[in-house]
Amino acid sequence: MGKRLLWSLVLSSVLSASWAQAAEKTAIQVMHQGDPGFVAAYGKVAERFEAANPDVDIQFIYAPHDAYNEKFSAAVMAKQLPDVMELDAPFLANYVWSGYLQPIKPLIDKDLLDDMTESNIAQGTYPIDKDLYAIGLTDSSVVLYGNKKYLEAIGARIPKSVDDAWTREEFEGYLEKLSKLDGVKWPIDTFRGYGIKTEWITYAYGPILQSAGCDLIDREAWKSEGTLDSDACVDALAMMQKWVKNGWVVPQSAGTNQFFAEGNPAALALGGHWVYAEAVATMKDNIVVLPLPKFGAKGASPNGTWIWAITKTSKHPDIAAKFISFLLKDKEYRAYVASQSGYPGLKSFAAESPLYANGGPMAIAFEQASKTAVSRPPHPAYPTITSAFMQAVDEAFNGGDPKEALTSAAKKIDEDIEDNDGYPPFGDGQ
């Protein structure tokens, strides 16, 4: 009886100490997405951060990539926003306008702020107050990958820089030649396998419209009608529709890896920078990396990726920022991102990434960041803009009239902006 009482007192003492220790810790909730490799990397960073800061408990909230915005909306409705959230850059304006985020310049380590590339600053900046609301280790781009053997077989010119990109006429001429080449089942993989309702559509296909001389919306008047349904945009979407009708594009049902799949059935790939790591593993030196073609007078390429922000409701923004700074400086995390062909958003990370340095296999991709990158429209109506554009592309790829599809999309976008009184102060001509 005496021993049982003693053990009870000891156990009670231990539990009390544990509870007291837990109660002393500051919990920081981090909402994120990512594939299993990145999820594991975040977990290891958290372990190292907690070891260095034993009074902090990092708690992760995972949301699947394709359902991220829905899960974030649920957190908003439940008034349970995390302290730190990962967000897709084009949605930043909507989040800031809605009052979910706080400026991070006073919180993040200054050496990291000074280290950001221009495109990284651009993807995290709200255009109205020009303040920085998010930061990332990386940015992103899309390039044109080519199978060297196939391109040599048709005598294709290989551009050496962004300034030397293929013209529309060259590009379409090569697609036609490739369609007749033995071994080529499809001239190009545009990664339709990602699905028609994913951000990939606006991210990757939007620059084709911009290169052709139009845009998703007029970025001064913030009206879509007259721009998205203009002749230049209709012509660009009709051009893409023709590629699909001709059987030149890998269909959605074939998956997402036909460029580097066994037998290399696709000769070209309009793919993100992340494709390189996967493709080189099987294709070795049979890959050439080309700038996106010019479909009009100028080139255009996308930028923007998943970046880190601190919510306005965080009770510990200083600790949240400390974790973000720790993450972006963590050597093992940076090494992992580099191994995944991470596109540099910090100058120091670019220096650690020979893949993107002058002469590197992806140097053209990094060159696009300073010469042709066009951010997706930084407007609170972006969720509607991208959704309407996705639907228009889907209709056209399924045989619909491009003019009607884009006219309908432009109307939906303008109606949303009107329904929200112009999303002031955007509607005040800011």
Side-chain angles (χ1 to χ4, degrees):
M1 184 69 178
K3 284 185 178 179
R4 289 175 61 188
L5 177 60
L6 179 60
W7 274 111
S8 177
L9 288 171
V10 170
L11 181 60
S12 175
S13 175
V14 169
L15 289 175
S16 296
S18 299
W19 289 335
Q21 190 177 24
E24 290 171 1
K25 287 192 174 186
T26 300
I28 297 295
Q29 293 190 322
V30 180
M31 186 170 173
H32 69 98
Q33 51 87 54
D35 63 30
F38 273 91
V39 171
Y42 297 150
K44 291 175 182 174
V45 172
E47 289 176 4
R48 291 189 282 274
F49 181 80
E50 289 172 344
N53 301 273
D55 56 339
V56 179
D57 180 23
I58 299 297
Q59 300 175 350
F60 287 111
I61 303 169
Y62 175 75
H65 179 94
D66 293 339
Y68 195 88
N69 287 332
E70 287 78 3
K71 187 152 185 174
F72 179 73
S73 296
V76 170
M77 295 295 290
K79 297 183 178 179
Q80 293 180 343
L81 287 180
D83 298 275
V84 176
M85 68 171 294
E86 195 179 16
L87 61 89
D88 200 1
F91 290 85
L92 182 138
N94 180 272
Y95 290 159
V96 176
W97 183 85
S98 299
Y100 300 145
L101 307 180
Q102 59 178 293
I104 61 167
K105 261 188 182 176
L107 302 167
I108 296 293
D109 289 357
K110 187 176 182 306
D111 59 330
L112 280 172
L113 298 174
D114 294 341
D115 198 21
M116 297 176 73
T117 62
E118 287 187 14
S119 63
N120 195 1
I121 294 170
Q123 70 175 336
T125 299
Y126 185 55
I128 293 298
D129 60 16
K130 296 181 173 49
D131 215 335
L132 188 73
Y133 285 82
I135 183 173
L137 174 64
T138 58
D139 198 339
S140 72
S141 193
V142 168
V143 294
L144 190 65
Y145 296 98
N147 182 308
K148 190 186 295 183
K149 290 181 183 175
Y150 292 147
L151 294 180
E152 288 177 350
I154 64 168
R157 182 177 67 85
I158 305 299
K160 302 299 182 186
S161 76
V162 170
D163 302 328
D164 198 27
W166 286 344
T167 64
R168 171 175 173 172
E169 290 71 25
E170 282 181 297
F171 177 64
E172 292 200 298
Y174 294 146
L175 289 180
E176 186 165 12
K177 286 184 178 180
L178 288 166
S179 71
K180 299 170 183 172
L181 189 68
D182 286 345
V184 175
K185 187 173 183 179
W186 300 286
I188 187 167
D189 190 349
T190 61
F191 290 83
R192 295 183 64 197
Y194 287 152
I196 197 64
K197 294 182 178 178
T198 70
E199 186 58 20
W200 171 254
I201 300 300
T202 308
Y203 171 69
Y205 301 168
I208 294 175
L209 273 61
Q210 289 148 359
S211 177
C214 57
D215 206 341
L216 303 174
I217 190 169
D218 184 311
R219 301 192 186 211
E220 293 184 1
W222 296 114
K223 282 186 64 69
S224 188
E225 290 185 273
T227 298
L228 183 55
D229 55 355
S230 65
D231 290 345
C233 272
V234 171
D235 180 59
L237 185 57
M239 172 184 68
M240 287 188 275
Q241 183 189 56
K242 180 185 72 178
W243 302 345
V244 174
K245 280 183 177 177
N246 287 353
W248 292 347
V249 179
V250 174
Q252 184 174 345
S253 59
T256 60
N257 64 344
Q258 296 306 307
F259 175 66
F260 52 89
E262 185 176 358
N264 304 123
L268 298 168
L270 184 80
H273 67 270
W274 56 89
V275 169
Y276 181 80
E278 297 177 271
V280 78
T282 57
M283 295 178 66
K284 311 299 181 189
D285 59 356
N286 193 34
I287 302 174
V288 288
V289 180
L290 312 170
L292 293 183
K294 290 181 185 176
F295 294 99
K298 64 178 184 180
S301 60
N303 75 339
T305 189
W306 289 79
I307 47 183
W308 299 96
I310 300 171
T311 62
K312 231 173 189 175
T313 56
S314 174
K315 294 178 180 176
H316 307 286
D318 52 338
I319 302 175
K322 190 174 181 179
F323 175 70
I324 294 175
S325 296
F326 186 92
L327 170 72
L328 301 188
K329 292 179 181 179
D330 187 89
K331 289 182 180 178
E332 293 179 47
Y333 172 63
R334 290 166 74 123
Y336 175 74
V337 178
S339 75
Q340 302 300 303
S341 65
Y343 190 95
L346 297 180
K347 297 166 195 167
S348 61
F349 186 50
E352 299 166 11
S353 306
L355 192 63
Y356 294 95
N358 285 337
M362 290 286 281
I364 277 179
F366 202 50
E367 186 187 356
Q368 287 187 155
S370 59
K371 292 186 175 178
T372 59
V374 180
S375 297
R376 282 158 280 178
H379 190 277
Y382 185 76
T384 299
I385 294 171
T386 187
S387 175
F389 182 61
M390 288 176 203
Q391 188 171 348
V393 171
D394 189 30
E395 288 175 14
F397 283 6
N398 284 290
D401 181 78
K403 174 69 174 177
E404 290 180 9
L406 290 176
T407 298
S408 175
K411 189 176 179 182
K412 286 176 188 170
I413 293 166
D414 287 351
E415 284 177 351
D416 177 81
I417 293 174
E418 289 168 12
D419 289 346
N420 287 280
D421 299 323
Y423 288 95
F426 280 86
D428 295 338
Q430 295 286 323

